[in-house]
Amino acid sequence: MTKFTIKKYDQNDYLVWNDFVAQAKNATFLFHRDFMEYHKDRFEDFSLLVFEDEKLYAILPANKKGKALYSHQGLTYGGLVYNEQTKQKAVIEMLRDILFFLNENNFDTLHLKTLPSIYQLKPAEEILYGLFLAEAKLVRRDSLSVIDLQQEKTMSKIRKRGLKKAISNKLIIKEDNDFELFWSKILIPNLEKTHNAVPVHSIEEINKLKSLFPENIHQFNVYKNDEIVGGTTIFETKNVAHCQYISKKPDQEDLGSLDYLFHYLIHERFFEKRFFDFGISNENQGKKLNEGLTYWKESFGASTIVHDFYEVNTANYTKLEDILI
């Protein structure tokens, strides 16, 4: 017998969803419906709300793909979102009832990506214990390169040399509201050359997101003689400054532009944050590590936090019954 009522999100839930995100202990602005829906044409949204009677206890940003439900594939991270009053027992019961709901609605599997611990406002790993009890499989693990900004920061000699080079080159850092220059002159050409890829966000999309979340999305560019030579796009949450994009001008001598930029971001602009997140340095579902990229991030003083992805059969709701003693 289920304890919670599971409901599929619809537009009438817009306000209650966003209000819940604002007070949850494991949510960021990425879970706001305005962020989730900037690319709604790419995903079949199947987000869930979890109620007991008429009280909302949790939400699950998600999309449907075949007979599987995914933590929303348009978001960097995800998971079951709840507030600080939520107890371990309730999270297990909510997971059980979500799996039962999905099983009854012909879903075979739930693919759940977690929220890395650095983004939690308070410890929020109750869901990990629930997934263990449900015999979920760990199917992917990414490694994030993270600096704890409240600890002593160590910068390697090679980064310090780059910083001196940037100063001698008289580089200038600017926080710009316009993303066009970085996208067209730096990011797109670099991604095309090095990875034969394009940015996840088009210039229209990143401009729209900036207009919706002006306090959370920032563009920092580096200039030499009024010419852009590098930059980064930062997604800022309460605890974390996260690098969404990092790039410098291809086919140009190393001017120390990124060394200069990240020294400024780490030691000045975001020094009051809890963490600075350079993002992942792996590919192929976490099974290949870009050694050079990892080393570059570690040379600023970063070390590893993991981001896990799980798969669980919806029929495993039965494994969450009769487990409490």
Side-chain angles (χ1 to χ4, degrees):
M1 183 175 179
T2 59
K3 175 180 179 180
F4 294 94
T5 300
I6 315 300
K7 177 185 181 298
K8 180 179 178 294
Y9 174 86
D10 64 47
Q11 285 298 319
N12 293 325
D13 300 313
Y14 176 87
L15 292 178
V16 68
W17 177 285
N18 290 332
D19 286 345
F20 192 84
V21 166
Q23 54 84 48
K25 71 173 180 176
N26 57 343
T28 75
F29 75 97
L30 270 68
F31 297 158
H32 193 286
R33 293 308 307 191
D34 288 346
F35 191 99
M36 291 179 61
E37 293 177 7
Y38 83 87
H39 48 16
K40 62 183 179 182
D41 57 313
R42 301 184 211 167
F43 304 96
E44 184 180 351
D45 190 277
F46 207 96
S47 298
L48 302 178
L49 298 93
V50 182
F51 292 91
E52 184 179 21
D53 298 324
E54 295 184 359
K55 182 179 179 181
L56 181 60
Y57 268 78
I59 58 173
L60 178 63
N63 66 276
K64 177 181 180 182
K65 191 174 181 181
K67 289 192 172 184
L69 187 76
Y70 287 82
S71 280
H72 203 289
Q73 292 173 293
L75 304 178
T76 305
Y77 38 70
L80 189 65
V81 178
Y82 38 89
N83 60 38
E84 64 179 286
Q85 288 78 37
T86 307
K87 308 303 183 188
Q88 177 69 77
K89 174 177 179 286
V91 173
I92 294 170
E93 292 171 331
M94 285 190 283
L95 178 59
R96 177 199 64 199
D97 292 353
I98 288 170
L99 291 175
F100 177 77
F101 170 83
L102 294 175
N103 190 260
E104 289 287 293
N105 285 276
N106 299 313
F107 286 91
D108 293 334
T109 54
L110 169 63
H111 297 255
L112 201 70
K113 55 186 164 187
T114 60
L115 181 74
S117 59
I118 58 174
Y119 290 91
Q120 300 165 7
L121 301 184
K122 294 189 175 181
E125 296 189 347
E126 293 86 358
I127 189 63
L128 294 182
Y129 183 61
L131 290 167
F132 163 74
L133 294 174
E135 298 184 6
K137 295 185 297 183
L138 178 65
V139 294
R140 172 177 169 181
R141 170 169 282 170
D142 288 342
S143 62
L144 310 181
S145 297
V146 175
I147 299 175
D148 184 341
L149 296 175
Q150 294 187 2
Q151 302 294 326
E152 183 178 355
K153 294 173 279 293
T154 56
M155 192 176 183
S156 72
K157 291 181 180 178
I158 192 171
R159 299 280 74 82
K160 291 177 181 177
R161 288 198 297 270
L163 179 60
K164 289 180 179 179
K165 185 185 293 186
I167 293 171
S168 68
N169 281 312
K170 298 181 180 179
L171 302 187
I172 295 174
I173 299 169
K174 294 181 182 178
E175 183 170 357
D176 292 333
N177 288 324
D178 185 4
F179 295 83
E180 177 69 37
L181 197 60
F182 178 66
W183 248 246
S184 62
K185 298 292 186 181
I186 304 292
L187 185 60
I188 292 175
N190 215 4
L191 284 177
E192 183 177 0
K193 179 184 177 183
T194 57
H195 300 289
N196 193 27
V198 296
V200 172
H201 304 90
S202 69
I203 185 62
E204 293 79 15
E205 289 171 340
I206 196 68
N207 280 328
K208 179 179 180 180
L209 290 173
K210 173 65 174 179
S211 69
L212 292 169
F213 303 98
E215 302 302 316
N216 301 104
I217 300 176
H218 312 280
Q219 180 62 42
F220 298 91
N221 293 333
V222 186
Y223 296 86
K224 178 177 172 59
N225 298 329
D226 295 326
E227 178 188 0
I228 187 170
V229 293
T232 187
T233 310
I234 299 289
F235 282 13
E236 178 183 359
T237 58
K238 185 171 183 180
N239 285 349
V240 184
H242 164 70
C243 303
Q244 184 68 25
Y245 298 106
I246 305 169
S247 194
K248 65 179 180 178
K249 192 168 186 178
D251 302 322
Q252 186 171 13
E253 65 171 314
D254 185 9
L255 302 172
S257 58
L258 296 185
D259 296 315
Y260 190 42
L261 175 58
F262 284 102
H263 184 272
Y264 164 73
L265 296 176
I266 292 164
H267 293 270
E268 296 184 43
R269 180 62 170 79
F270 294 111
F271 80 99
E272 292 183 334
K273 289 290 174 188
R274 183 71 171 85
F275 298 103
F276 191 90
D277 175 17
F278 280 101
I280 67 172
S281 304
N282 46 257
E283 302 170 4
N284 189 28
Q285 300 294 95
K287 294 180 180 179
K288 294 287 185 180
L289 180 68
N290 186 325
E291 181 182 1
L293 185 57
T294 302
Y295 170 79
W296 179 78
K297 295 171 181 178
E298 289 172 341
S299 67
F300 285 98
S303 50
T304 298
I305 294 287
V306 298
H307 181 199
D308 287 345
F309 297 67
Y310 292 89
E311 177 184 331
V312 57
N313 294 328
T314 60
N316 285 13
Y317 70 87
T318 58
K319 299 182 183 298
L320 298 178
E321 296 174 344
D322 303 321
I323 62 160
L324 301 172
I325 57 174

